[in-house]
Amino acid sequence: MRHRKRTCKLGRNSSHRRCLFANLLKSLIIHDRIETTLAKGKELKRRGDRIITLAKKGTLAARRKAIAELMIRYNTLSPKEKKQAKNGDTSSYNDDRHVIGKLFDQLHLRYQDRQGGYTRIIRSPVRVGDAAQKVIVEYI
C-alpha cells in the first residue's frame, strides 16, 4: 500500500528525478509557462509554489536553499568579466545566475500580497505518439 507516501517517482531514480525537476523549475522561472505531462505537472506545481515561498522570504538562507534545490552552478568569471559585471554588464553570466536573479528580484515582488497558489495547471490535448495527458503549468 502507498498510503501517505508523497514522493512522485515517475519511474526514475532519485538523482534523475532531482535533475529533472531542477531543470523543469528553471524553465518555469525563465519562461513563466511550460508544457509537460500531467504527472510531472502536478509535482512541478508543488515544487514551484515552494520555491516562490522561499523567494518571498528573501533571506540569505532562503537564497541558498533555492540554489540547492535548483542545482545552480555558477561559472567562474575572469577578472575582466568580474569588472564588467560590477559595472552592470551581465552578458558573461550563465543562465543559472539569471534564474536566481529573476526569482529573487522579480517573482517575489509579483506575489508579495498573495498567500499561496502561485501556479496553475491547464490541461491540453493528449500527445499523439503515446496518448499521454499534456498540461500547461504557468505562474499566475
Side-chain angles (χ1 to χ4, degrees):
M1 290 183 290
R2 281 190 47 86
H3 299 305
R4 299 182 65 183
K5 301 215 183 306
R6 187 70 178 142
T7 309
C8 181
K9 295 198 177 195
L10 298 173
R12 292 164 170 82
N13 60 24
S14 61
S15 61
H16 187 183
R17 208 169 35 247
R18 183 169 180 232
C19 292
L20 170 79
F21 284 116
N23 287 329
L24 284 173
L25 269 173
K26 286 183 214 177
S27 296
L28 183 63
I29 291 168
I30 290 172
H31 301 293
D32 288 336
R33 174 181 216 173
I34 60 171
E35 187 174 359
T36 185
T37 60
L38 181 63
K40 289 179 198 169
K42 285 181 178 180
E43 181 68 19
L44 183 63
K45 178 178 173 18
R46 184 172 153 251
R47 292 176 187 237
D49 286 349
R50 272 191 18 223
I51 206 85
I52 292 293
T53 304
L54 274 177
K56 282 175 61 174
K57 289 181 183 176
T59 62
L60 179 61
R63 185 177 287 258
R64 286 178 176 165
K65 283 182 184 177
I67 287 170
E69 176 141 353
L70 293 172
M71 299 176 71
I72 300 293
R73 301 291 177 248
Y74 291 111
N75 60 337
T76 56
L77 300 176
S78 68
K80 182 180 178 183
E81 291 171 336
K82 285 181 187 176
K83 197 179 290 183
Q84 290 172 343
K86 202 178 248 190
N87 293 332
D89 179 23
T90 60
S91 61
S92 59
Y93 284 177
N94 61 355
D95 289 338
D96 289 352
R97 287 185 193 237
H98 295 294
V99 168
I100 288 293
K102 183 174 181 183
L103 181 65
F104 280 87
D105 296 338
Q106 297 172 10
L107 289 181
H108 98 278
L109 292 175
R110 188 192 308 178
Y111 302 112
Q112 196 68 39
D113 299 330
R114 195 173 178 95
Q115 293 298 314
Y118 311 111
T119 55
R120 83 168 59 123
I121 294 179
I122 303 167
R123 290 186 185 237
S124 299
V126 296
R127 191 163 48 201
V128 174
D130 61 352
Q133 178 64 52
K134 301 290 283 183
V135 295
I136 296 172
V137 181
E138 65 182 6
Y139 281 126
I140 296 174

